[in-house]
Amino acid sequence: MNQSISATHEYLLTHYGPLLTIKHLAEVMHTSPNGVRMAIARKRQPLAVALSNARRQLGRRVYFEARLVADVIDQGMTGKSPKERPTETGASLPSPERSLICTQP
């Protein structure tokens, strides 16, 4: 098995090992553990869906595979249309289906 590993994967392996806890994932993502839990539970963002695929449960404990987390981080938001990419402030552009203007009937 001669797979080359990315720098991100190597970093995660050396600092956290092959499995990351929610606390470790929150450190990597610069958010709180509850923020990670809520994002994965809601599955509204592509990143949250990808991270939920890296989720592994051993008994009651929840872990995330470092290899899959590294893949998610390395891919980032590339390959998405401009409407789906976050802006510089981190907010996504509104989709045409969901207008920000409320109209009264």
Side-chain angles (χ1 to χ4, degrees):
M1 191 166 151
N2 286 333
Q3 284 185 333
S4 62
I5 61 174
S6 68
T8 308
H9 186 203
E10 186 176 342
Y11 174 84
L12 292 175
L13 284 175
T14 56
H15 285 83
Y16 303 108
L19 296 174
L20 283 74
T21 63
I22 288 182
K23 182 179 177 183
H24 295 151
L25 186 59
E27 287 177 15
V28 171
M29 304 302 287
H30 301 287
T31 187
S32 68
N34 282 336
V36 172
R37 284 187 197 97
M38 292 305 293
I40 292 172
R42 290 182 182 162
K43 295 183 183 178
R44 291 183 184 163
Q45 301 170 343
L47 178 68
V49 173
L51 287 176
S52 70
N53 293 334
R55 183 178 181 262
R56 300 292 177 254
Q57 192 163 349
L58 299 173
R60 294 183 346 181
R61 298 178 187 226
V62 176
Y63 297 99
F64 297 86
E65 288 187 46
R67 176 181 51 88
L68 298 176
V69 171
D71 289 345
V72 169
I73 292 170
D74 289 340
Q75 286 178 349
M77 295 298 283
T78 58
K80 301 289 181 188
S81 68
K83 291 181 181 178
E84 295 175 354
R85 288 189 192 136
T87 60
E88 290 180 10
T89 61
S92 296
L93 296 173
S95 62
E97 302 87 34
R98 297 175 70 189
S99 176
L100 297 176
I101 302 171
C102 296
T103 56
Q104 297 287 330

